[in-house]
């Protein structure tokens, strides 16, 4: 229902408005609020929030319509105003427009013209509110959704490709905060969240510095994906920076002398990228899946504090760029053969 304020010191106009728009009022299309001058209008705007448009005369006692326009521009810029006045000379029209009037109608009122002007003004006001709401929602959405997902949603083929996927070459990295689960058992939830967000913020900055994508947060762990040129090198650079950053955090007082450390697993290779989930339930996760992802997660499980574990295949690709130590072979779930792993030192 549109909320319309009518500001005019002629009380007969209120009766006329209610008669001419009685059908729309009964059908809850319009709700009218009446004021006798500009000062009264400003007071009633406080009493009746959500006014969409204002129809105002010019010549009124205490505060005229042109002064009201200036006040509205300062206090309620989203409210659109239409001047309805017998003073239809060009000077008044120009002053009204310069002070923010959306349109100008002369008296005596042609109600067919008034109706069209009201609908046009209401449409404009709603579009502005909708745009501002979309901006607000988009800013909130950016806090929860990766920028790559937002770019995908904005693409022309979004609807047709919502459940499509592609094979990509990239690197997956899992970073876990060691020993944090034990701390969370004896610490209040608000402190746990604050601590974890502090650690995550440091990790995310280093991942983004290397053009990585935050795929998801999993409890006290982060999953990141790197694509493009030198994706493995950039993932390792991010891992080294994360380790250094987290090692720089102080001990947590009165929490069993907890000192944050990370364990990291990295794997490069082919994986499936796309929206994984249920279109019926309308719950999808834009992520990567496949053996490369599973292996990276298990390498992280095998890593100890301050270790950055990679497999032999990754080591062969970066051995000239990074100093690594051979940790021997480990047996991994669902892997027939033991896997030779390396710890990246620097």
């Amino acid at each position: 229902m549109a909320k319309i304020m009518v500001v005019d010191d002629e009380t007969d106009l209120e009766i006329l408005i209610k008669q001419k728009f009685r059908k729309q009022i009964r059908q809850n299309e319009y709700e009218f609020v009446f004021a006798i001058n500009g000062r009264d209008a400003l007071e009633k705007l406080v009493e009746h929030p959500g006014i969409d448009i204002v129809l105002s005369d010019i010549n009124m006692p205490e505060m005229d319509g042109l002064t009201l326009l200036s006040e509205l521009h300062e206090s309620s810029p989203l409210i659109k105003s239409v001047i309805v006045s017998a003073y239809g000379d060009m000077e008044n029209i120009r002053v009204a427009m310069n002070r923010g009037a959306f349109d100008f109608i002369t008296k005596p009122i042609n109600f067919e013209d008034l109706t069209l002007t009201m609908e046009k003004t209401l449409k404009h006001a709603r579009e502005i509110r909708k745009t501002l709401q979309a901006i607000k929602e988009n800013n909130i959405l950016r806090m929860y959704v990766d920028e790559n997902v937002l770019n995908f949603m904005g693409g022309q083929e979004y609807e047709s490709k919502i459940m499509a996927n592609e094979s990509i070459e990239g690197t997956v990295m899992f970073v876990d905060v060691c020993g944090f689960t034990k701390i969370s058992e004896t610490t209040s939830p608000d402190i746990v969240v604050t601590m974890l967000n502090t650690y995550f913020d440091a990790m995310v900055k280093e991942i983004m510095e290397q053009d990585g994508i935050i795929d998801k947060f999993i409890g006290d762990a982060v999953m990141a994906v790197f694509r493009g040129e030198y994706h493995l090198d950039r993932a390792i650079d991010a891992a080294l920076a994360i380790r250094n950053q987290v090692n720089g955090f102080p001990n947590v007082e009165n929490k069993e002398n907890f000192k944050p450390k990370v364990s990291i697993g990295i794997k490069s290779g082919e994986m499936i990228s796309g929206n994984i989930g249920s279109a019926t339930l309308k719950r999808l996760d834009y992520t990567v899946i496949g053996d490369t992802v599973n292996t990276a997660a298990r390498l992280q499980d095998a890593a100890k504090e301050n270790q950055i574990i990679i497999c032999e295949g990754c080591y062969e690709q970066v051995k000239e760029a990074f100093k690594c130590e051979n940790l021997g072979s480990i047996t991994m779930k669902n892997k027939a053969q033991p896997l030779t792993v390396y710890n990246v030192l620097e």
Side-chain angles (χ1 to χ4, degrees), residues 324-344:
C324 306
E325 64 173 339
N326 189 327
L327 297 180
S329 298
I330 61 171
T331 302
M332 299 179 63
K333 184 179 179 181
N334 296 330
K335 292 289 185 181
Q337 301 295 326
L339 199 67
T340 302
V341 296
Y342 292 78
N343 177 32
V344 181

Side-chain angles (χ1 to χ4, degrees), residues 64-326:
D64 61 51
L66 296 178
T67 305
L68 175 61
L69 281 176
S70 298
E71 294 289 333
L72 286 175
H73 183 71
E74 293 294 326
S75 63
S76 306
L78 292 183
I79 297 177
K80 295 302 162 187
S81 303
V82 176
I83 291 296
V84 184
S85 175
Y87 298 92
D89 57 281
M90 184 56 66
E91 182 179 352
N92 275 310
I93 292 175
R94 284 186 60 82
V95 172
M97 293 302 180
N98 287 335
R99 295 191 184 187
F102 182 76
D103 211 333
F104 197 108
I105 293 177
T106 56
K107 292 181 179 179
I109 298 173
N110 178 324
F111 278 90
E112 183 177 349
D113 182 34
L114 177 62
T115 301
L116 291 173
T117 302
M118 284 167 50
E119 285 298 323
K120 179 181 68 174
T121 310
L122 283 168
K123 181 181 179 182
H124 182 71
R126 287 167 181 154
E127 287 174 350
I128 291 175
R129 291 180 187 275
K130 185 183 292 185
T131 299
L132 290 175
Q133 181 65 21
I135 293 171
K136 180 180 177 182
E137 291 172 353
N138 190 46
N139 288 336
I140 295 172
L141 189 64
R142 287 182 183 277
M143 296 175 64
Y144 292 91
V145 182
D146 182 81
E147 186 176 353
N148 291 273
V149 182
L150 294 175
N151 292 338
F152 169 74
M153 290 167 63
Q156 294 182 348
E157 300 178 345
Y158 164 64
E159 293 292 342
S160 62
K161 289 191 174 181
I162 187 65
M163 292 300 290
N165 57 69
E166 59 176 333
S167 294
I168 66 166
E169 188 76 22
T171 297
V172 181
M173 177 173 70
F174 284 88
V175 185
D176 183 72
V177 181
C178 302
F180 197 80
T181 302
K182 184 178 180 181
I183 288 294
S184 64
E185 292 173 354
T186 58
T187 307
S188 62
D190 57 330
I191 294 177
V192 168
V193 171
T194 300
M195 291 170 58
L196 203 53
N197 284 344
T198 300
Y199 304 150
F200 281 163
D201 193 47
M203 297 177 193
V204 167
K205 288 177 181 177
E206 300 302 338
I207 292 168
M208 294 179 67
E209 181 68 22
Q210 297 297 332
D211 295 327
I213 300 167
I214 307 300
D215 187 281
K216 61 173 68 72
F217 297 99
I218 313 165
D220 56 4
V222 180
M223 174 183 168
V225 181
F226 296 80
R227 299 176 63 173
E229 291 186 338
Y230 300 104
H231 51 80
L232 177 55
D233 297 66
R234 289 187 284 110
I236 295 175
D237 279 331
L240 289 167
I242 287 171
R243 185 172 66 186
N244 291 337
Q245 285 285 339
V246 174
N247 283 342
F249 283 114
N251 289 18
V252 181
E253 296 182 4
N254 302 322
K255 299 301 174 190
E256 302 177 15
N257 209 29
F258 176 72
K259 173 71 175 175
K261 302 285 184 182
V262 292
S263 59
I264 302 175
I266 296 174
K267 179 68 169 70
S268 181
E270 189 177 34
M271 60 198 87
I272 304 297
S273 173
N275 289 290
I276 311 299
S278 169
T280 302
L281 188 61
K282 296 183 179 180
R283 290 289 299 274
L284 300 172
D285 187 12
Y286 189 79
T287 187
V288 290
I289 59 172
D291 182 67
T292 297
V293 180
N294 296 337
T295 302
R298 287 166 187 156
L299 288 173
Q300 183 278 310
D301 285 337
K304 297 181 174 63
E305 286 186 358
N306 275 340
Q307 285 189 335
I308 302 170
I309 302 300
I310 61 175
C311 66
E312 189 169 25
C314 290
Y315 167 74
E316 291 297 330
Q317 296 180 53
V318 299
K319 62 183 180 182
E320 295 182 358
F322 299 94
K323 182 180 179 181
C324 306
E325 64 173 339
N326 189 327

